[in-house]
Structures are given as structure tokens and as C-alpha cells.
Amino acid sequence: MTSADWQLQNIWLGMGIGLAVFGMYYAVALYNNKKTTNATDLYLAGRSIGPLVNSLAASSTWMSVATFLGVVALIQQLHLPFVYMWIQLILSVPLLVLLYGASLYRMEVFTSVHFVQLRYGRNTAFLAAGWMLLIMLMYMIGQFIGIAKVFEVLLGLPYTPSLILSAMVITGYITIGGMKGATYNDAIQMVIMMIALFVPLAAILKAMNVSGYWFPPLGYGDLTDTLLERIPTFFDLKFEARFYLSLFVALTIGTLGLPQLAQRVLTSENIKSARKVVPWFCLWVGLMFLGTYAMGFAGVYHFALIGQELTPEAADKTTLLLNLAYNPDWVSAFVIAGVLAAGVSTIAGLMIGVATVVGHDIVGVLRPHLSEKKQLHYGYFALAGTGVVSLLVSLNPPAFLITSIFWAFGLCATTITPMVVLGVWSTRINFWGAFIGSAISGALYILISPYVLPDISVGAGLTAKLGFATSLVSVPVGFILTILVSLIAEKLKGEAAAQERSRAQELVEKMHGWAEITRMRYDSSQWLLILAGLWLPILLWGLTPW
Amino acid sequence: MGGLVLDTYKKELRSTIGFGIVYVLLGHTGLWAIMLGTDNSIRVLGLPIHYFIAIMLGSLGVLVWSIIWCRYANRLEDEIEAENNRFNNQVEGRFDGSATNLSGAQK
């Protein structure tokens, strides 16, 4: 199977759909540009977004190109275990808002880095910023490469011109619209994605003679028997219990720390509105996930039925191949618009996340007395700069940056989540614990991954490459170090530690909404030691050979 | 500080842990399947039951739980606000009392 098999034959159709969707994105961006008057507007949409639009925007930031391309291919490779791997990603926003979203909102911070700066000081904020920029850059480069490949299919251009063209067009509209423009565009893109997934999928299932085609998320049960005849192990669990536990450690804990998702919560008009984002988010993302499994199921069924083995590159294009096989060309072009929407909305969230960390958090620490106008100028510069740097890196990315995004989630679980979540729920976590815990566990995660020192890598094969085996060691180390170093520093640092604890007592009670500072809430070390103790057997299990 | 203040605080801790654990259980049915076993012959809507449970709890289950959590968390927020109002009233009362005493002393 070659690229000609998934190439749109009618280039004018591709150009037409490309111009139509990007014309709309630019119109929305230009309209919102006029409403952007300060840094809060640029980075947080003026904290004015209602739950429905915000949930659509958060969902589309979360839904990447992989929703249409990579996921279906991975279902074909891994079968049921991949579905289990994907399902828990829906927990990201609910757990984020439950564990720290409301607290960050009350503090009126711009990003998780901003929170870290207020909670632990500038040195830990610089460390957190470094990790977050690395994680977001890894995420963004994957999206830029994915979008460039979609432009190849859409316009028939070679890869490099496709990358440059797509990156410039995307950077342009995101820079013009800022967070307001990106939020409304993201919401529109989520609607496009849902239509582009479900309507063609229903047509594909109908063409396959599936009786439940009218409700694609759950209507494909007719295919089960034929599928099991061809692939009897499709619904087997295949991996040991430790693999399924590592999904929680690496992915659930990793994604709840993602800065671009946290920023989405901070754009809400109030805390109750931020909470209402959660059920709506679960509705949209739940539906999309169900649709993705159905598409994966249909893909596996189709290629098992015709007895065709797909190359990894062709497997990535299963959604397009199925549409080209069962639907007319114009439907395929609309599906490509959905893939584009998935990619650009994720890039928008990441670009604004990076720009806020650089333009607001880092510049804000280095030059705290900037005027409102200069802050806005720096913000636009940071947004455009983020796009240009990402483009330049994507042209010839270093190998370590194009490892799987799952690996980046493991890095987030190791370096960011412990310091943020523990910092919100305990006054006993201090600068020493947060800094040393994040720095050492992050370095450990990188060193024992198969990409740096393969000889001392933990785990083997896919579990090591995706960072699951590594996370089972580094995440417990991150939590245990953050807790123990904080408590030891309290004993060793005397007055300095006492002052920091006193400051933390005020800050933590305030961020939970209490007017009266009692210095008694969130101040126990007992539950921290229990938590560290709970992580210990997981660490030992992670250290035993896979 | 009255006992009521700590009651609401403890409620916040307990509910966060409780809601968090249920979320994790709903999203991680792979471990359930390892413990309970799988059987492709038991079907719901034509899909093997362990697969059906996983995709339903991972979407509809999480949605329903989020609605419950959202209502509970907003009610808890109101309780915290009520406590804050009581505290603010006490502070204002103390301030008014000391102001009255002060004006009495001036007389």
C-alpha cells in the first residue's frame, strides 16, 4: 500500500475544504483580536468563558491528530489493551479540577508554573517551566508533523512545504486571536470533529451491513463474531496486572498535571462554571472515545476481512482508507477537515500554554514591573515565537523529541504532578522537597528510559518505549522524595523552614477558599507518610524485572 | 476555632479522596478484568461483556459520576462560604464591640 492509496484525487476539493475551514478560523481570530486588550485577555480569555464553550474547547485541546490517525492504528496493533490504555485518558480534566483546578483558580494564577512560583519560589518555578516546556514541545512537534502529513494528503504537496505552510497558517491565526480566539475556534473545531467522525462512520457501518449503524458509538456488535473468527485474541488482556497499574501511574497521574489543560480551567468565568466544565467535557470526550473505538473496530474488521496486512504508515491512515473505500471523495475531504481541526486545536492549546509560561511566567519573574501594554506585546511576541521555534524544530527534530507523547505524560507524572498536587493539599511540602523531588526523579526518568542509557533501562519493548515501566519507578521516587525531603528539611533548616511553613499555611488555606487562617488545616504530616508508604510497594514492583 | 469549621474541612478531604478513588476505578477496568476474568461468550449489544463494561464505565460512568461530584462540590463550596460569612460576622462583631467599648471609654 502506497501514499497514492490515501491521497485525495481531487486536489481542488482539498484546497476548497482547507480554505473554508482556515478562512473561518481566521475570521473568528480577527473578531476576537479586537476584544484582547490586556495580558489576561490574551492568555486566559479574560476569565470570561462559560462551561459549554469551555468544555468543547477543553475537549478539542485534548483530542489530538491521534484521535483520527494514530489511535485506530494502535487498536489494530494492540487490540483490547489499547482500549484500556485510552479509556483512562478521560480522567485527566475531572481529576485535575477535583485535585487542584479550583485552588489554582482562586489564586488567580495564569499557569501551573505561576502556581509553583507563588507556592515554592522562583527557582522551583524555573525548574517546573523547563519540564513543562519540554513536555509541551514534545507534544507540539508531534502535532505539527501530523498536520503536515494531513496537508500532504489534502493538497498533494511534499512534506517540507506542507510543514512550513501549515505551521505558518496555524501560528498566524492563533497569534491574532490569542486565548479568546483560540477558545471559540477550539469549540467550533470540536463540533467539526464530532460530525467528521460520526456521520462518515455511520455510513461505513451501514455499508458493512451493521444493524446498529444509526448509533455508531455502541452499534457495531454485529461485527464481533466475524472479528473473533479472524483474530481470536482480539479481546484478550495480553499483558500482566503490572501493565494495567502502570497505566494509572504514567498516564492518569501524568495527564492530570498537563499545563495546557489546567489553563483551560483558568479561563472559566467562576469556580462553579469551571466545575461544570467537567461533566460536559466527559460527555464530548466520552462520545469521541466511543466513536474512535468503533472506527478502530471497523478498521480491524475491514482489513481482517480482506486479508490485507497494513504497513505502520498505512495503519495510521486507516480512518482515511476506510472513508475512501466506503464513502465518496467529498466525505473523505470533510474527514480530513476533522483531522485538521483535531491537530490545530491541540496546537492552539499548547502554543498558548508555552507562550504564557515564557511571556507571562518567566518574563514576569525576570521583569516584574512591566506595563500592561508591554506585557501584551511580549505575549504576542511569545505566541509568534513559539510557532516559529516549533516549526524550526519540527523541520529536523532531534530523535528524543519525537518519542511517543505517552513518554511525555510519564515525564509530567514524575516531575510536575507531585509538586503541584502535594503543594495544594499539604502545607508541609516546601521548596526543598519540591525542587529536589522534581529534579532527581525527572533526571532518573530520562536516564533509565531506553532512549538515553539503554543498558540500565527499566522494562523492555513497548512498556519501556512508552515510559510505562520507567514511570513505575520514577513516579514513586518523585512522590517519596518530595515528601521525605520536605519533612527532613523542616528539621534541618530551622527558622527558614518554619517561615516557609507559616507562609504555606496561609496560602494553602486561602487557595481552598477559607477566610479564617487556622494553621491547622492541611498541616498533618501523617497522611504524607502514609502516602509515601503506599508508593513503596509500587516502587519495588517497578524495580523487579519485566 | 469551633468544631464545625473542622467538620467542613474534613468533609472536603473525605469527599476528594472518595470521588478520586471512584474516578480511578471507573477509568481502570483493565485491573478489574484481570481479577474477574474475561468471557467472550457473554455479550451486551453484541460486544463481549468485559469490553462493554470498560467502554461504558469509561464514558457514561465517568459522566454520571462527574454530574454527582459537580453538585456535591458546589454544595460544599456553599458550606465553606457559609463558614466564611460566620467568621467574617464574628470579626465584624468583635470590631464593632471594641469600637463601642472605645466610644464608651471616650464618654
Side-chain angles (χ1 to χ4, degrees):
Chain A
M1 191 164 273
T2 65
S3 62
D5 291 303
W6 55 79
Q7 184 74 51
L8 268 189
Q9 298 308 313
N10 186 347
I11 293 302
W12 293 108
L13 199 57
M15 280 187 74
I17 206 101
L19 281 172
V21 291
F22 277 103
M24 180 167 59
Y25 302 157
Y26 267 88
V28 173
L30 283 165
Y31 177 73
N32 282 285
N33 177 268
K34 291 171 192 159
K35 294 181 178 177
T36 302
T37 55
N38 55 39
T40 312
D41 287 339
L42 183 69
Y43 298 127
L44 294 179
R47 296 184 201 273
S48 63
I49 308 295
L52 183 61
V53 171
N54 222 359
S55 65
L56 284 166
S59 307
S60 81
T61 301
W62 196 209
M63 295 283 158
S64 63
V65 172
T67 307
F68 283 86
L69 302 181
V71 168
V72 176
L74 282 166
I75 291 175
Q76 290 186 59
Q77 281 174 36
L78 293 175
H79 304 160
L80 183 66
F82 183 78
V83 176
Y84 283 120
M85 194 194 297
W86 201 253
I87 279 172
Q88 51 73 46
L89 292 177
I90 198 172
L91 301 178
S92 55
V93 166
L95 287 179
L96 187 159
V97 180
L98 173 78
L99 292 175
Y100 70 92
S103 300
L104 263 61
Y105 190 91
R106 284 194 195 93
M107 289 177 76
E108 297 187 348
V109 295
F110 278 61
T111 60
S112 310
V113 173
H114 193 188
F115 163 78
V116 171
Q117 184 213 324
L118 296 177
R119 178 69 177 81
Y120 303 113
R122 59 188 280 176
N123 288 340
T124 319
F126 283 138
L127 177 69
W131 291 128
M132 286 189 194
L133 290 176
L134 178 61
I135 291 162
M136 288 195 279
L137 198 61
M138 286 176 78
Y139 209 149
M140 195 148 46
I141 286 170
Q143 297 305 306
F144 269 122
I145 292 171
I147 288 286
K149 288 184 176 170
V150 176
F151 264 61
E152 277 184 285
V153 177
L154 202 64
L155 303 176
L157 288 172
Y159 174 73
T160 303
S162 289
L163 178 67
I164 294 169
L165 179 66
S166 58
M168 283 170 62
V169 169
I170 294 167
T171 303
Y173 98 76
I174 295 168
T175 306
I176 291 169
M179 185 54 119
K180 271 191 182 173
T183 300
Y184 287 105
N185 267 324
D186 284 358
I188 294 168
Q189 284 153 3
M190 188 64 202
V191 176
I192 292 175
M193 267 188 262
M194 286 196 279
I195 297 170
L197 181 67
F198 284 112
V199 177
L201 178 58
I204 290 168
L205 292 177
K206 191 178 181 192
M208 288 177 169
N209 292 322
V210 174
S211 60
Y213 71 90
W214 49 273
F215 189 60
L218 294 172
Y220 50 95
D222 290 1
L223 304 177
T224 304
D225 284 326
T226 316
L227 188 77
L228 278 171
E229 274 170 31
R230 307 278 167 160
I231 310 172
T233 59
F234 186 85
F235 291 105
D236 289 359
L237 294 167
K238 296 186 180 75
F239 293 95
E240 58 171 313
R242 191 163 42 158
F243 168 81
Y244 291 98
L245 176 70
S246 72
L247 297 182
F248 167 69
V249 176
L251 302 183
T252 306
I253 295 181
T255 53
L256 79 89
L258 287 176
Q260 76 272 20
L261 289 182
Q263 203 172 359
R264 274 269 159 245
V265 175
L266 303 174
T267 58
S268 297
E269 53 197 0
N270 54 52
I271 289 180
K272 288 188 176 175
S273 168
R275 286 201 189 98
K276 280 184 191 159
V277 169
V278 176
W280 283 113
F281 172 88
C282 293
L283 176 65
W284 310 131
V285 171
L287 269 175
M288 283 297 285
F289 278 9
L290 287 174
T292 313
Y293 311 141
M295 185 66 88
F297 210 97
V300 176
Y301 172 86
H302 173 76
F303 290 107
L305 206 64
I306 61 173
Q308 192 169 13
E309 279 286 320
L310 293 178
T311 60
E313 200 190 356
D316 264 350
K317 312 287 190 306
T318 302
T319 308
L320 300 179
L321 289 167
L322 277 179
N323 274 287
L324 288 167
Y326 289 100
N327 288 326
D329 246 17
W330 65 268
V331 175
S332 302
F334 189 68
V335 172
I336 292 172
V339 185
L340 274 179
V344 296
S345 57
T346 305
I347 289 173
L350 290 163
M351 269 183 68
I352 293 174
V354 171
T356 316
V357 169
V358 175
H360 179 269
D361 299 344
I362 295 177
V363 172
V365 169
L366 298 175
R367 299 185 65 184
H369 303 299
L370 279 179
S371 68
E372 193 75 48
K373 201 175 171 186
K374 279 207 166 163
Q375 278 185 36
L376 196 60
H377 284 164
Y378 271 106
Y380 279 118
F381 185 72
L383 265 175
T386 303
V388 172
V389 169
S390 305
L391 165 63
L392 293 175
V393 179
S394 304
L395 281 171
N396 189 16
F400 74 93
L401 279 181
I402 44 172
T403 55
S404 167
I405 187 56
F406 288 115
W407 191 85
F409 291 162
L411 184 61
C412 191
T414 305
T415 57
I416 303 297
T417 307
M419 72 159 82
V420 172
V421 174
L422 293 176
V424 165
W425 288 96
S426 175
T427 60
R428 307 297 288 275
I429 302 300
N430 50 37
F431 151 73
W432 297 279
F435 190 91
I436 292 172
S438 176
I440 291 183
S441 59
L444 180 72
Y445 181 78
I446 293 169
L447 283 176
I448 62 174
S449 71
Y451 305 107
V452 181
L453 298 171
D455 292 342
I456 59 163
S457 164
V458 180
L462 195 69
T463 53
K465 278 185 181 167
L466 298 182
F468 298 166
T470 326
S471 296
L472 224 44
V473 174
S474 63
V475 176
V477 167
F479 274 96
I480 292 170
L481 271 183
T482 306
I483 291 168
L484 294 187
V485 172
S486 292
L487 296 178
I488 292 168
E490 264 186 17
K491 304 277 181 207
L492 298 179
K493 294 288 179 180
E495 187 53 30
Q499 277 180 10
E500 183 165 339
R501 184 171 164 189
S502 171
R503 203 177 59 81
Q505 285 169 336
E506 287 182 24
L507 197 64
V508 172
E509 289 202 51
K510 273 186 191 166
M511 73 173 83
H512 283 268
W514 304 101
E516 182 186 13
I517 307 302
T518 63
R519 300 190 187 278
M520 290 170 72
R521 300 185 188 105
Y522 319 101
D523 200 47
S524 162
S525 61
Q526 207 175 3
W527 78 267
L528 287 175
L529 291 170
I530 292 170
L531 185 65
L534 287 172
W535 276 114
L536 205 57
I538 296 174
L539 171 63
L540 293 175
W541 203 9
L543 284 170
T544 51
W546 281 70
Chain B
M1 196 176 81
L4 193 65
V5 177
L6 277 183
D7 281 349
T8 314
Y9 157 67
K10 282 177 185 165
K11 206 189 263 187
E12 185 200 12
L13 292 187
R14 277 196 300 263
S15 65
T16 303
I17 293 169
F19 277 105
I21 288 172
V22 175
Y23 267 128
V24 171
L25 290 175
L26 290 171
H28 286 275
T29 36
L31 283 167
W32 297 27
I34 288 221
M35 284 188 285
L36 301 173
T38 61
D39 185 350
N40 289 344
S41 64
I42 306 172
R43 306 276 177 88
V44 181
L45 297 180
L47 301 165
I49 189 160
H50 62 289
Y51 173 75
F52 182 80
I53 288 174
I55 62 171
M56 284 313 288
L57 291 186
S59 53
L60 190 66
V62 176
L63 167 65
V64 171
W65 193 241
S66 296
I67 293 169
I68 296 168
W69 167 75
C70 193
R71 287 184 172 190
Y72 183 88
N74 283 341
R75 228 177 29 232
L76 190 67
E77 179 97 21
D78 292 339
E79 283 180 37
I80 292 174
E81 276 308 307
E83 294 229 2
N84 289 343
N85 289 337
R86 273 198 292 276
F87 170 71
N88 290 333
N89 289 340
Q90 277 176 8
V91 171
E92 278 171 24
R94 255 181 267 153
F95 181 76
D96 289 346
S98 58
T100 313
N101 290 342
L102 196 65
S103 57
Q106 279 172 343
K107 279 175 192 172

